[in-house]
């Protein structure tokens, strides 16, 4: 359990009542003896609430409930499922100010981001529901000797494992697609930040038949294998770190459970000589680097800029960094919250120090909060200019508000630098010439390549999303994401060769 040696009550007016979440499976709430204690990253001594900590048997019971509900849910038409999901999504923004305050208090991020996190589940449900006509589409391979009808069938029970950073929206990239496809689901929220997600899932689930959607919180070591190494789980959709993804894949191999893995990235930004900087695209780049205190999978994590554009780029980012206000999410003046976890703060502090020690030009901005927030997991956002390319802040995912900026002279060199990474989630190309964007963009190794922007706000969610190389396996969203939750089914019907008489017969009509 999380250590809370000196708990104090949460002081945010939005959260006067203690927040406590149960398990929810088989259409009912379930209590537990053990609890996860959830604290505020801006003030770690402050308890935000507690979540049920399931036993292994309770996690198995949630899978059993989803298995029992599966035949009935799969037998409904896609149109019926679409109607129910639309109704379920209508619950997500009810009392959204309070829900966003809970998410910000447990996660650390600013209220606007938490509100948008909730909206993400609504928008993504709408997009999944919009695929209704394709869910049951079939294709026929003509005979003789066999006419094959290829359809897409639901898989069974799907486990969705959610990370801390954008838990509700990230869940939205898989949950409505898995349900639209006819599967039943067990969601496992992150143990350090489970409250808002569990509440959103329960409200959503209450609009669906019992057992179709379930949520189980607890310690990974206690409940992980019940939700993953389980022959009754057809697929696990995991979003999280590369190390976590490898562990899940190895656990899934024990039961031949399928996996979709949405993992970390080290996204490269390639700014060519002819790129044009505008207020808007610089705002988007700034958000795409520093949003959520740098804790977004598809944030820009390395910038390669043509040497002629470096000064202008640094000036644009500096202008925005100088306006950064570090603080708790409950303060409306805050523009950047703390890290979610202390270990991540220590890791990024180490990367920045390493860059300083190596002689890189490190520029830090903003002021660390004092007083009651002094113990929060805050860091001053920074720019790291001209670092040695072998430094960890360049080669690893920093997942924090700092960015290495490296110059290049020749476009081929720039492409090589961006691609020289074991990751491949998203990259971006910046150029005023659309043909160049198409040509260079096609050569950047990633699941998604942006043009003149970078980051989640500009991701076109109709497209498949996911990484290559160490950034993952499989795709979410769009029809590609929905098909990840279906099995192709081939039905071969015997078709006799037309007889000679049939062939000679005069056409009818
Ligand atoms: P994490 O791997 O620590 O945890 C992610 C989730 O997996 C949590 O719910 C955790 O409890 C669970 N988990 C981990 N090990 C488990 C086990 N053995 N059994 C059962 N559950 C287990 O990741 P995190 O720190 O929450 O998230 C940050 C990472 O996620 C970053 O690397 C980020 O880039 C990545 N991420 C990727 C995407 C994407 O779509 N590609 C989106 C968001 C975050």
């Amino acid at each position: 359990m999380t250590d809370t040696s000196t708990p104090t009550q949460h002081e945010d007016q939005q959260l006067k009542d203690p927040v406590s979440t149960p398990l929810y499976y088989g259409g009912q709430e379930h209590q537990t003896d053990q609890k996860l204690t959830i604290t505020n990253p801006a003030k770690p001594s402050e308890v935000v609430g507690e979540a049920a900590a399931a036993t292994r048997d309770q996690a198995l019971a949630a899978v059993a409930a989803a298995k029992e509900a599966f035949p009935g849910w799969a037998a409904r038409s896609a149109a019926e499922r679409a109607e129910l999901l639309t109704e379920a999504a209508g619950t997500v923004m009810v009392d959204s100010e309070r829900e966003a305050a809970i998410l910000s208090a447990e996660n650390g991020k600013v209220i606007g981001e938490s509100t948008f996190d909730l909206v993400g589940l609504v928008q993504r449900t709408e997009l999944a529901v919009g695929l209704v006509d394709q869910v049951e589409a079939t294709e026929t391979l003509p005979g003789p000797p066999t006419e094959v009808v290829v359809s897409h069938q639901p898989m069974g029970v799907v486990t969705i494992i959610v990370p801390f950073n954008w838990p509700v929206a990230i869940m939205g990239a898989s949950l409505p697609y898995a349900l639209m496809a006819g599967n039943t689901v067990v969601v496992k929220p992150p143990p350090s930040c489970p409250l808002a997600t569990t509440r959103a899932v329960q409200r959503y689930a209450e609009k669906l038949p019992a057992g179709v959607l379930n949520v189980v919180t607890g310690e990974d070591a206690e409940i992980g294998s019940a939700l993953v190494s389980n022959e009754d789980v057809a697929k696990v959709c995991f979003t999280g770190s590369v190390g976590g993804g490898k562990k899940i894949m190895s656990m899934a191999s024990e039961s031949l459970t399928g996996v979709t893995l949405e993992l970390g990235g080290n996204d490269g930004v390639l700014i060519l000589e002819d790129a044009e900087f505008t207020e808007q695209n610089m705002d988007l780049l700034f958000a795409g680097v520093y949003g959520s205190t740098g804790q977004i999978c598809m944030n820009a994590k390395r910038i390669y800029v043509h040497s002629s554009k470096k000064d202008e780029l640094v000036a644009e980012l500096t202008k925005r960094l100088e306006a950064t206000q570090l603080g708790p999410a409950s303060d409306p003046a805050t523009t950047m919250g703390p890290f979610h976890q202390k270990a991540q703060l220590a890791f990024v502090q180490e990367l920045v120090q390493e860059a300083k020690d190596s002689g890189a030009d490190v520029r830090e901005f903003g002021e660390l909060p004092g007083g009651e927030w002094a113990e929060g997991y805050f860091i001053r956002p920074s720019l790291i200019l001209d670092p040695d390319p072998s430094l960890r802040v360049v080669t690893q995912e920093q997942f924090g508000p700092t960015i290495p900026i490296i110059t290049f002279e020749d476009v081929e060199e720039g492409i090589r630098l961006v691609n020289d990474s074991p990751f491949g989630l998203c990259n971006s190309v910046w150029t005023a010439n659309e043909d160049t964007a198409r040509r260079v963009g096609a050569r950047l190794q990633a699941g998604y390549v942006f043009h003149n922007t970078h980051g989640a706000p500009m991701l076109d969610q109709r497209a498949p999303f996911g990484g290559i190389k160490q950034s993952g396996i499989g795709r979410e969203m769009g029809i590609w994401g929905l098909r990840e939750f279906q099995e192709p089914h081939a039905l071969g019907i015997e078709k006799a060769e037309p007889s000679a008489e049939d062939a000679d017969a005069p056409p009818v009509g």
Side-chain angles (χ1 to χ4, degrees):
M1 303 300 110
T2 315
D3 176 42
T4 52
S5 34
T6 51
T8 62
Q9 269 304 320
H10 197 285
E11 288 152 16
D12 188 321
Q13 285 309 300
Q14 288 284 348
L15 303 180
K16 339 188 238 307
D17 305 325
V19 181
S20 170
T21 55
L23 311 177
Y24 185 83
Y25 55 84
Q28 288 179 350
E29 292 187 356
H30 299 264
Q31 300 302 331
T32 58
D33 295 336
Q34 301 292 315
K35 306 286 180 197
L36 302 171
T37 303
I38 309 305
T39 54
N40 181 347
K43 187 179 178 187
S45 59
E46 180 179 275
V47 173
V48 180
E50 62 177 27
T55 60
R56 175 178 164 79
D57 283 348
Q58 287 175 310
L60 288 170
V63 173
K67 185 181 177 186
E68 196 183 327
F70 173 65
W73 183 245
R76 288 177 187 256
S77 69
E80 283 177 292
R81 295 197 289 261
E83 200 174 314
L84 283 165
L85 291 188
T86 302
E87 201 187 328
T91 63
V92 176
M93 297 310 287
V94 172
D95 206 2
S96 63
E97 274 186 32
R98 177 170 157 79
E99 298 306 320
I102 292 171
L103 181 50
S104 281
E106 63 177 333
N107 174 290
K109 64 185 177 181
V110 297
I111 294 285
E113 289 189 2
S114 292
T115 306
F116 203 63
D117 201 332
L118 295 164
V119 169
L121 175 57
V122 181
Q123 284 180 341
R124 290 172 173 185
T125 301
E126 284 166 5
L127 286 164
V129 161
L131 300 170
V132 59
D133 294 339
Q134 296 178 64
V135 173
E136 292 156 352
T138 61
E139 196 181 327
T140 301
L141 312 176
T146 312
E147 179 184 288
V148 185
V149 182
V150 182
S151 61
H152 303 277
Q153 300 198 341
M155 305 175 96
V157 177
V158 171
T159 291
I160 297 179
I161 299 183
V162 181
F164 76 83
N165 60 337
W166 276 71
V168 184
I170 284 172
M171 180 178 69
S174 55
L175 175 64
Y177 294 85
L179 293 173
M180 264 310 285
N183 305 284
T184 53
V185 172
V186 180
V187 172
K188 195 206 79 67
S192 57
C193 176
L195 301 173
T197 307
T198 302
R199 289 162 65 89
V201 175
Q202 180 171 342
R203 290 197 306 277
Y204 200 104
E206 282 167 351
K207 295 289 181 189
L208 305 176
V212 167
L213 175 57
N214 311 276
V215 56
V216 174
T217 45
E219 300 284 4
D220 296 341
E222 173 71 18
I223 62 175
S225 68
L227 301 177
V228 179
S229 315
N230 184 331
E231 289 183 9
D232 286 337
V233 176
K235 182 145 206 176
V236 175
C237 180
F238 170 90
T239 306
S241 61
V242 174
K246 287 181 178 170
K247 176 84 176 114
I248 293 295
M249 194 166 173
S250 123
M251 287 162 67
S253 73
E254 290 170 27
S255 46
L256 283 185
T257 295
V259 292
T260 295
L261 301 176
E262 295 290 348
L263 309 180
N266 195 5
D267 288 15
V269 174
L270 182 61
I271 299 177
L272 304 185
E273 192 172 6
D274 71 340
E276 283 170 8
F277 295 159
T278 63
E279 278 300 305
Q280 195 196 4
N281 69 19
M282 285 295 104
D283 283 347
L284 285 165
L285 180 62
F286 181 74
V289 174
Y290 297 99
S292 293
T293 316
Q295 300 166 109
I296 299 183
C297 57
M298 68 184 108
N299 267 11
K301 294 178 181 145
R302 300 172 288 152
I303 298 183
Y304 297 99
V305 59
H306 189 270
S307 58
S308 64
K309 300 290 292 181
K310 177 186 158 191
D311 290 349
E312 191 185 347
L313 173 73
V314 171
E316 290 290 346
L317 292 177
T318 299
K319 188 168 78 184
R320 289 162 177 82
L321 281 161
E322 281 170 345
T324 299
Q325 180 80 38
L326 290 164
S330 54
D331 180 348
T334 296
T335 64
M336 185 180 286
F339 277 112
H340 178 57
Q341 276 156 325
K342 192 175 184 178
Q344 189 59 18
L345 167 65
F347 174 65
V348 179
Q349 280 172 333
E350 218 179 275
L351 296 186
V352 173
Q353 189 57 47
E354 213 170 82
K356 285 179 183 168
D357 293 346
S358 75
D361 178 1
V362 178
R363 301 183 188 175
E364 294 166 292
F365 300 86
E367 278 189 32
L368 293 176
E372 62 177 320
W373 311 110
E375 299 306 314
Y377 308 143
F378 293 97
I379 193 169
R380 298 176 71 207
S382 56
L383 294 171
I384 300 186
L385 308 183
D386 308 314
D388 185 301
S390 67
L391 285 174
R392 288 190 298 167
V393 76
V394 182
T395 61
Q396 296 189 12
E397 179 187 43
Q398 66 274 45
F399 223 51
T402 184
I403 187 117
I405 298 183
I406 296 174
T407 56
F408 67 91
E409 300 301 332
D410 168 69
V411 65
E412 289 300 320
E413 183 196 0
I415 294 171
R416 185 186 60 73
L417 288 167
V418 170
N419 288 340
D420 184 18
S421 168
F423 297 95
L425 189 56
C426 302
N427 286 316
S428 58
V429 55
W430 295 61
T431 166
N433 183 313
E434 190 181 318
D435 290 339
T436 308
R438 289 180 192 278
R439 201 165 25 80
V440 175
R443 293 177 58 196
L444 297 182
Q445 297 166 358
Y448 194 103
V449 175
F450 297 96
H451 175 209
N452 290 345
T453 189
H454 198 122
M458 294 305 284
L459 182 79
D460 192 323
Q461 301 184 51
R462 297 168 305 170
F465 178 76
I468 62 170
K469 303 194 262 187
Q470 298 292 297
S471 291
I473 296 176
R475 293 292 180 274
E476 292 183 326
M477 300 198 285
I479 189 62
W480 306 269
L482 189 135
R483 294 277 185 250
E484 296 262 344
F485 295 115
Q486 292 180 313
E487 295 283 12
H489 179 274
L491 172 61
I493 300 291
E494 181 190 39
K495 276 281 181 188
E497 293 285 348
S499 67
E501 282 161 25
D502 289 345
D504 291 345
V508 179

